[in-house]
């Protein structure tokens, strides 16, 4: 996730995972560790999507969080499709 250190990536990932879990209405099902994992993976997915589709390079901190939240929402949606869960 960007040029941030591992601690900053975990903090950004936790924030993004928590926001995404609230948007996707999974907050009650997920704990802090799941939020961090979903946020970090979602951050990588969001960065990849925005760099590939929109040629977005070197986003600032705010846009990094936005990309991570969008990526985490996409990840939660895909996991929901695979596991057969609805919202």
């Amino acid at each position: 996730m960007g040029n941030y250190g591992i601690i900053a990536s975990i903090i950004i990932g936790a924030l993004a995972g928590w926001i995404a879990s609230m948007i996707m209405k999974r907050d009650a099902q997920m704990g802090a560790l799941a939020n961090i994992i979903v946020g970090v993976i979602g951050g990588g997915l969001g960065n990849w999507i925005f760099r590939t589709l929109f040629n977005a390079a070197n986003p600032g901190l705010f846009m990094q969080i936005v990309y991570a939240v969008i990526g985490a929402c996409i990840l939660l949606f895909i996991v929901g499709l695979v596991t057969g869960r609805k919202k």
Side-chain angles (χ1 to χ4, degrees):
M1 289 195 336
N3 294 327
Y4 303 105
I6 189 76
I7 301 297
S9 292
I10 290 172
I11 293 170
I12 292 169
L15 178 64
W18 176 65
I19 293 169
S21 69
M22 289 182 17
I23 291 171
M24 299 299 288
K25 301 200 186 327
R26 299 232 179 134
D27 193 37
Q29 300 169 358
M30 296 175 57
L33 184 61
N35 282 338
I36 293 170
I37 292 169
V38 166
V40 170
I41 294 172
L45 178 65
N47 274 324
W48 178 77
I49 289 171
F50 280 92
R51 286 184 185 189
T52 302
L53 296 179
F54 305 112
N55 198 23
N58 299 326
L61 180 61
F62 178 74
M63 288 309 295
Q64 183 69 42
I65 294 171
V66 171
Y67 292 174
V69 169
I70 291 170
C73 285
I74 292 170
L75 181 64
L76 287 174
F77 178 75
I78 292 170
V79 168
L81 288 177
V82 170
T83 60
R85 293 184 184 177
K86 299 194 179 196
K87 289 188 184 179

